[in-house]
């Protein structure tokens, strides 16, 4: 059941203002991401869970990092991070920059467990092929 909840949490989120600061000092589950996370409304799906959603539509990874840094005081036990699409899609960043930003986000809450979701790299307009051995492990 524990893994089912974590898997479900990885798919969800709800919206907040882009620069909102959450003045709390407890150990919630924090969602960071763009519209993919924001449109999921996780707070409504699990109202009994202590969730702080810092996701917002159209954010590239640099702005997601800024939101995380502005809310260091949260000290979450779990962080669900989804980013990278807006860096690649809009020309607002690079793969290298997104990777640096994701690494920096992982340092913002050092005691948290992270679930990181990001898009698979696409080169020359083709999605990568994944061997069945890798998927089945």
């Amino acid at each position: 059941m524990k893994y089912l909840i974590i898997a479900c949490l990885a798919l969800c989120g709800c919206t907040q203002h882009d620069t909102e600061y959450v003045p709390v000092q407890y150990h919630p589950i924090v969602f960071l991401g763009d519209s993919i996370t924001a449109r999921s409304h996780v707070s409504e799906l699990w109202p009994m869970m202590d969730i702080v959603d810092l996701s917002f539509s159209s954010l590239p990874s640099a702005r997601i990092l800024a939101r995380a840094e502005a809310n260091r005081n949260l000290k979450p036990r779990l962080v669900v991070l989804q980013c990278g699409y807006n860096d690649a899609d809009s020309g607002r960043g690079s793969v290298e920059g997104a990777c640096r930003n994701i690494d920096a986000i992982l340092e913002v809450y050092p005691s948290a467990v992270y679930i990181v979701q990001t898009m698979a790299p696409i080169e020359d307009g083709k999605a990568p092929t994944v061997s069945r051995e890798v998927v089945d492990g």
Side-chain angles (χ1 to χ4, degrees):
M1 183 66 165
K2 177 179 170 182
Y3 296 106
L4 175 61
I5 291 172
I6 290 173
C8 290
L9 286 174
L11 300 174
C12 303
C14 73
T15 60
Q16 298 265 338
H17 294 291
D18 186 33
T19 57
E20 186 169 337
Y21 170 78
V22 180
V24 291
Q25 293 187 0
Y26 56 99
H27 303 285
I29 298 169
V30 170
F31 281 76
L32 291 164
D34 56 27
S35 62
I36 295 168
T37 302
R39 291 180 184 157
S40 299
H41 306 289
V42 71
S43 295
E44 295 172 20
L45 291 173
W46 292 290
M48 74 299 282
M49 299 184 85
D50 191 9
I51 295 172
V52 174
D53 187 2
L54 299 175
S55 62
F56 193 80
S57 185
S58 301
L59 293 182
S61 61
R63 295 197 43 213
I64 293 170
L65 171 59
R67 289 174 69 80
E69 289 175 335
N71 289 281
R72 279 184 189 273
N73 63 321
L74 292 175
K75 303 192 185 335
R77 62 184 181 268
L78 175 67
V79 175
V80 180
L81 170 63
Q82 180 279 313
C83 66
Y85 182 80
N86 289 319
D87 293 85
D89 184 52
S90 63
R92 289 183 279 177
S94 64
V95 171
E96 295 81 14
C99 289
R100 279 193 306 274
N101 291 330
I102 290 169
D103 285 343
I105 292 166
L106 297 177
E107 298 297 320
V108 173
Y109 306 114
S111 62
V113 172
Y114 282 81
I115 297 174
V116 179
Q117 311 168 85
T118 191
M119 60 182 274
I122 297 175
E123 191 171 319
D124 298 325
K126 297 179 184 175
T129 57
V130 179
S131 113
R132 180 47 93 192
E133 294 167 7
V134 172
V135 173
D136 292 338

